Amino acid sequence: MAEGKGDLKLLGLWATPFVMRVRMVLEQKGLNYEYLEQDLSNKSELLLKHNPIYKKVPVLIHGDSGISESLVILQYVDENWSKTGPPLLPSTPYERAIARFWAAYIDDKLQASTRGILMAATEEAMTEKVADACAALETLEGAFESCSAGKDFFAGNSIGYLDIILGSLTVWIRVLENISGAKLLDETKVPLLVEWEKRFLTVDYVNKVLPTVERLEEYGRALRATT
Amino acid sequence: MAEGKGDLKLLGLWATPFVMRVRMVLEQKGLNYEYLEQDLSNKSELLLKHNPIYKKVPVLIHGDSGISESLVILQYVDENWSKTGPPLLPSTPYERAIARFWAAYIDDKLQASTRGILMAATEEAMTEKVADACAALETLEGAFESCSAGKDFFAGNSIGYLDIILGSLTVWIRVLENISGAKLLDETKVPLLVEWEKRFLTVDYVNKVLPTVERLEEYGRALRATT
């Protein structure tokens, strides 16, 4: 560990994109960490101690310090291990601002609408949330075009902050296409993102972390059935 | 200007806490900027060009680059003018993570509930939102105790990121006490924050930016009456 103050633990749930993104960054940085799958119906003392406000995952525990909220954790890992592995955020203040803007957009708009698709109780709600997700993806197609400037990933030729954040939703998006019957990552509407997703999914540590569509779909359908 | 790529403009609305916080940071850093009050019922070309996604203020325009979302702007200003004026965010990755966590909490919980008080259409909704705001302030009392460690401000002896973010809500909180008839910054429940607010309001650039309670209350009551 480059800059240590104790060992690293990650409290997580395998199916949550917010946890997937933290795991991908820890893998990308090559950090050793202990992954502790949580049961949120019976919250652990570690979780309650280190995230007393939200009592949610992910929580990264570094030594005795807990850090919550995935975007906060990603920036912490990048800043604390700035010399370990590739940088996650871009190098200039302006590019970092743009990356933070789109990260918040992905969580506010795309993630919220994919969650809406999963939990839609009526046909009407489903249609509305599918439209929201498609609109968010089309906006992100433009963001990708502008940020990547013809390169492979949002931040250039290697995976960065926005790739990890959007990438954590890719398997869910494919699952939700199966559940809704609607095309979300549609190559006629978001061709750059469809190609980006293919490149993203060829990366070893991405595949190590992301679950299969089949496993996540089984989980998603079970969640829909019980709520 | 320490690190320039052109002049600075801020598109704003005087009554919006998100704009107040950006202005306070620009003043704190001693940067020259042109403030352009916007009319959101007739959006300017500058606003539509530089924030096409949300079409909201604040937008900071630096040279020809627009940056939106107040927390993104604050970090941009701090990073781009890192050697001008006092640092806004703390120096260690862990302290920065804690500051980012609470900044998001202030916007998600406190700001949302104060907005809810302002727009409450029924007595029941008002009571609920007042309870939410009080709960958020009590949580923030604990955050202040932990972050400040006995010093004057969240980040120590001078104003930092969380002071500016929470501070941008102080006048609104006093206005909403008048509108709701409920005590929000109650010295029996949040004594540290009440003392913190007094210290915050003695700072010159804070007073230069923040409107008076009277002016903001007139605006708030007019907004309630028309929606």
Side-chain angles (χ1 to χ4, degrees):
Chain A
M1 202 177 297
E3 300 166 50
K5 54 171 185 174
D7 59 354
L8 270 182
K9 292 187 182 73
L10 177 64
L11 312 186
L13 276 177
W14 69 271
T16 308
F18 305 112
V19 172
M20 295 177 202
R21 56 179 70 160
V22 175
R23 295 187 71 184
M24 285 190 278
V25 168
L26 294 172
E27 296 288 339
Q28 186 197 40
K29 290 270 183 190
L31 299 171
N32 290 322
Y33 67 100
E34 186 183 0
Y35 177 71
L36 300 168
E37 182 77 6
Q38 301 295 295
D39 172 3
L40 291 194
S41 67
N42 180 19
K43 290 177 179 169
S44 70
E45 280 183 34
L46 263 185
L47 178 61
L48 297 174
K49 175 182 173 191
H50 288 291
N51 190 1
I53 303 299
Y54 296 114
K55 307 176 181 71
K56 285 183 183 171
V57 293
V59 179
L60 184 71
I61 306 173
H62 187 191
D64 195 43
S65 301
I67 301 144
S68 309
E69 298 295 287
S70 68
L71 300 184
V72 173
I73 297 172
L74 261 52
Q75 292 178 82
Y76 173 74
V77 171
D78 195 39
E79 292 176 358
N80 202 60
W81 288 279
S82 59
K83 287 165 188 143
T84 307
L88 189 63
L89 273 92
S91 61
T92 73
Y94 181 68
E95 288 171 315
R96 277 203 294 280
I98 297 302
R100 290 188 180 119
F101 175 87
W102 287 115
Y105 181 88
I106 290 168
D107 280 358
D108 289 345
K109 302 292 181 187
L110 181 61
Q111 202 282 328
S113 56
T114 55
R115 178 84 192 165
I117 295 172
L118 181 66
M119 305 316 281
T122 64
E123 197 68 33
E124 194 183 357
M126 179 71 87
T127 304
E128 184 191 328
K129 296 301 175 186
V130 164
D132 288 349
C134 288
L137 284 166
E138 286 181 46
T139 298
L140 288 166
E141 174 85 355
F144 180 80
E145 187 169 15
S146 159
C147 291
S148 67
K151 294 186 178 166
D152 281 355
F153 296 104
F154 276 90
N157 285 323
S158 63
I159 287 183
Y161 193 55
L162 291 176
D163 300 291
I164 293 278
I165 293 166
L166 184 59
S168 69
L169 290 169
T170 53
V171 187
W172 268 115
I173 288 172
R174 295 309 187 183
V175 165
L176 295 169
E177 289 183 333
N178 293 346
I179 288 176
S180 68
K183 197 81 184 151
L184 301 173
L185 271 172
D186 180 343
E187 62 192 3
T188 68
K189 291 183 179 159
V190 290
L192 298 174
L193 289 185
V194 169
E195 290 303 313
W196 162 85
E197 185 202 25
K198 285 179 193 160
R199 286 189 293 273
F200 184 75
L201 294 176
T202 63
V203 175
D204 280 349
Y205 62 81
V206 168
N207 280 300
K208 182 177 170 186
V209 169
L210 295 185
T212 63
V213 173
E214 294 69 27
R215 185 180 176 209
L216 197 60
E217 184 169 343
E218 188 180 359
Y219 174 90
R221 289 191 185 274
L223 203 62
R224 266 180 75 76
T226 54
T227 48
Chain B
M1 202 177 293
E3 299 164 52
K5 52 172 184 171
D7 59 353
L8 270 182
K9 291 187 183 73
L10 177 64
L11 311 186
L13 276 177
W14 69 270
T16 308
F18 304 112
V19 172
M20 294 176 202
R21 55 179 73 159
V22 175
R23 295 188 72 183
M24 285 190 277
V25 168
L26 294 173
E27 296 287 340
Q28 186 197 41
K29 290 268 183 190
L31 299 170
N32 289 322
Y33 67 101
E34 185 182 0
Y35 177 71
L36 299 168
E37 182 77 7
Q38 301 294 294
D39 172 4
L40 291 193
S41 67
N42 180 19
K43 290 177 180 172
S44 70
E45 279 182 33
L46 264 184
L47 177 62
L48 296 174
K49 175 181 173 190
H50 288 291
N51 191 2
I53 303 300
Y54 296 114
K55 306 175 182 72
K56 284 183 182 172
V57 293
V59 179
L60 184 71
I61 307 174
H62 188 192
D64 196 44
S65 301
I67 302 144
S68 310
E69 297 295 288
S70 68
L71 300 185
V72 173
I73 297 172
L74 261 52
Q75 291 177 82
Y76 173 75
V77 171
D78 194 40
E79 293 177 358
N80 201 61
W81 288 278
S82 59
K83 288 164 189 143
T84 307
L88 189 63
L89 273 93
S91 61
T92 74
Y94 181 69
E95 288 170 315
R96 277 203 293 280
I98 297 303
R100 290 186 179 119
F101 174 87
W102 287 116
Y105 180 87
I106 290 168
D107 280 357
D108 289 346
K109 302 293 181 188
L110 181 61
Q111 201 282 328
S113 56
T114 56
R115 178 86 192 161
I117 294 172
L118 181 66
M119 305 315 282
T122 65
E123 198 67 33
E124 196 183 355
M126 179 71 88
T127 304
E128 185 191 327
K129 296 301 176 185
V130 163
D132 288 349
C134 288
L137 284 166
E138 286 182 45
T139 299
L140 288 166
E141 174 85 356
F144 180 80
E145 186 168 17
S146 158
C147 290
S148 66
K151 294 187 178 161
D152 281 356
F153 296 103
F154 276 91
N157 285 324
S158 63
I159 287 183
Y161 193 55
L162 290 176
D163 300 291
I164 293 278
I165 293 166
L166 184 58
S168 69
L169 290 169
T170 52
V171 187
W172 268 114
I173 288 173
R174 295 308 187 183
V175 166
L176 295 169
E177 289 184 335
N178 293 346
I179 288 177
S180 68
K183 198 80 186 150
L184 301 172
L185 270 173
D186 179 343
E187 63 192 2
T188 67
K189 291 182 180 161
V190 291
L192 297 175
L193 289 185
V194 170
E195 290 303 313
W196 162 85
E197 186 202 25
K198 285 179 194 161
R199 286 189 293 272
F200 184 75
L201 294 177
T202 62
V203 175
D204 280 349
Y205 63 80
V206 168
N207 280 301
K208 182 176 170 186
V209 169
L210 295 186
T212 63
V213 173
E214 293 70 26
R215 185 180 177 209
L216 197 61
E217 184 169 343
E218 187 180 0
Y219 174 90
R221 290 192 185 274
L223 203 64
R224 267 181 74 78
T226 55
T227 48

